[in-house]
Amino acid sequence: MDWTEWNALLERVHAPKHRLEVALVGKYIDLHDAYLSVTEAIRHGGFACDAHVDIRWIASDTCETPEGAQRCLAGVGAVVVPGGFGVRGIEGKVGALRWAREHQVPTLGLCLGLQCMVIEASRNLLGLSGASSTEMEPDTPDPVVTTLDSQRRFVTGGGDLGGTMRLGAYPAVLTSGSLVAEAYGATEVSERHRHRFEVNGAYRERLEEAGLHISGTSPDGQLAEFVELDRSLHPYYVATQAHPEFKSRPTHAHPLFAGLIRAALERRRGVYASHRGADAADSASVD
């Protein structure tokens, strides 16, 4: 048996060149196993980048205010906002995402994390202060996240909720040249899902204009599967409606997690800042 791949992995695990702290902002952090697949995928991303990753466990409720987010997240190299259900902790996830966006800290949102990313951008980039999801606020004036058409009768009590989510593997088409396409090295991917809510298509154009791009959709273009902040605004602010953590392996880190860790290490080395400076200089010379 050829152990070359595993020996190389063990070398990166036991003698990594880098060390990085990643904040996991969730509502179930008292039970770490609730996020086991996510934390393992984060560590796999570290293995791929020759880095040891320490997890900073952050209760999302503590990040509702800018002061709370700063206190809890200061100094982390990256932020992950995982999935979940129910209204508790949502405002804290939104607050953590705002902090990460404004502080240029590489960020990955998963499932509900994508929806919170859209809510945060709608409130703070579009000025829609009441923007929310109909899951949390059925009467929100700006339902930027709403029920999937296929799920409406179940959510409104017209069917059995058991086993009726959009569940399982679904294909997606990625925008060529996007951060996610760059991470995957492909424009057609398949990921596992578990959700009832989606980005409201009525707000897509405004989100795009604000710099939050819908960078991956279902093949028919109807469902937003990936979003990302324009790379001129942020080094790595990415989210997916899927659960990519389920496909990550120690020897084959999922591309989105590897991309997150890589972006965090590059940011620490000042690569992104220098690129932005060069872009600004180029713009000035053109003017």
Side-chain angles (χ1 to χ4, degrees):
M1 181 178 290
D2 186 355
W3 292 97
T4 303
E5 184 178 41
W6 282 100
N7 287 335
L9 171 64
L10 289 172
E11 179 68 22
R12 297 193 300 274
V13 170
H14 294 296
K17 293 180 180 177
H18 313 286
R19 193 171 192 125
L20 188 74
E21 189 174 29
V22 176
L24 190 151
V25 183
K27 58 193 291 185
Y28 315 121
I29 64 164
D30 288 337
L31 181 62
H32 289 187
D33 280 2
Y35 296 111
L36 184 59
S37 56
V38 177
T39 56
E40 289 303 297
I42 295 171
R43 293 188 173 101
H44 299 166
F47 300 160
C49 298
D50 208 356
H52 174 85
V53 174
D54 295 302
I55 306 295
R56 184 188 296 187
W57 295 89
I58 304 295
S60 55
D61 288 337
T62 63
C63 295
E64 290 186 3
T65 66
E67 297 77 17
Q70 173 64 26
R71 184 169 55 253
C72 293
L73 298 172
V76 298
V79 173
V80 174
V81 178
F85 296 92
V87 67
R88 185 179 69 80
I90 297 303
E91 291 303 319
K93 290 188 175 187
V94 171
L97 287 165
R98 180 176 183 177
W99 182 92
R101 177 178 59 79
E102 293 180 344
H103 287 79
Q104 304 284 302
V105 175
T107 300
L108 179 61
L110 309 172
C111 196
L112 180 60
L114 176 143
Q115 296 170 11
C116 288
M117 195 175 278
V118 169
I119 292 169
E120 191 280 325
S122 299
R123 291 178 183 178
N124 299 309
L125 296 180
L126 299 182
L128 305 176
S129 60
S132 191
S133 166
T134 55
E135 179 184 9
M136 307 358 160
E137 296 184 44
D139 298 322
T140 173
D142 285 295
V144 294
V145 176
T146 190
T147 312
L148 283 157
D149 287 342
S150 62
Q151 297 293 316
R152 293 191 188 281
R153 72 185 183 95
F154 302 111
V155 171
T156 57
D160 185 359
L161 288 173
T164 57
M165 291 185 177
R166 184 173 183 246
L167 184 66
Y170 288 89
V173 178
L174 310 181
T175 303
S176 180
S178 63
L179 282 166
V180 292
E182 188 176 286
Y184 278 99
T187 55
E188 295 183 9
V189 300
S190 175
E191 293 291 358
R192 291 169 61 181
H193 291 69
R194 188 173 184 265
H195 64 109
R196 297 185 191 278
F197 296 83
E198 64 168 327
V199 177
N200 188 339
Y203 292 86
R204 278 199 203 179
E205 186 173 343
R206 278 184 280 179
L207 289 167
E208 289 276 357
E209 290 173 353
L212 189 70
H213 304 306
I214 309 300
S215 53
T217 68
S218 54
D220 62 7
Q222 296 302 304
L223 302 181
E225 300 282 25
F226 296 83
V227 303
E228 62 185 59
L229 200 60
D230 192 277
R231 66 175 75 214
S232 68
L233 302 174
H234 200 285
Y236 195 89
Y237 193 76
V238 168
T240 175
Q241 185 59 69
H243 287 277
E245 65 271 21
F246 294 153
K247 296 177 69 174
S248 189
R249 299 294 182 268
T251 54
H252 294 89
H254 190 282
L256 296 182
F257 287 91
L260 175 76
I261 303 303
R262 188 176 302 111
L265 293 172
E266 289 178 352
R267 176 178 179 268
R268 191 163 69 184
R269 290 196 299 266
V271 172
Y272 178 67
S274 64
H275 284 176
R276 290 196 74 196
D279 291 342
D282 289 343
S283 299
S285 64
V286 170
D287 293 340

